[in-house]
Amino acid sequence: MSFAAPLFLWYFLPATLVATWLLPHRCRNGVIAVASVLFYAVGGKQFVLLLIGLMALNYVAGLAIGWVKAPPPLGCSSGQGRQGDLGTLSLIAPVGSAPASRSRAA
């Protein structure tokens, strides 16, 4: 499913928006998280577990940011969440190939 698909524009997006507006404020993040997983499950099934893992990593990183005034337990820091995201991105993102060798002019 893409963002321009009729299924998304006419059914999925309105249903998600209505659900977020009607539910209590404390439930909105959960609704958006579930909707995100469902959206990506339709379009890219191979990355759903990765998405769920990164959501969990970012949640823990957000908790670590909240612990800034007190020492974070277990040595967590907000930089570790960012490093995890960038490390995962470096594994799945296409990287431009560097030239194999350069010829030196004499």
Side-chain angles (χ1 to χ4, degrees), residues 8-46:
F8 175 78
L9 291 173
W10 294 337
Y11 301 108
F12 189 78
L13 181 63
T16 304
L17 290 175
V18 168
T20 28
W21 288 333
L22 293 179
L23 290 173
H25 186 68
R26 68 181 190 280
C27 298
R28 291 182 182 173
N29 286 341
V31 168
I32 292 172
V34 169
S36 297
V37 170
L38 289 175
F39 176 78
Y40 284 106
V42 171
K45 294 177 178 113
Q46 68 271 22

Side-chain angles (χ1 to χ4, degrees), residues 63-92:
L63 291 177
I65 290 170
W67 293 324
V68 168
K69 293 184 180 181
L74 304 174
C76 295
S77 72
S78 61
Q80 289 173 339
R82 196 170 41 249
Q83 290 170 353
D85 285 343
L86 292 175
T88 305
L89 180 63
S90 69
L91 293 175
I92 64 170

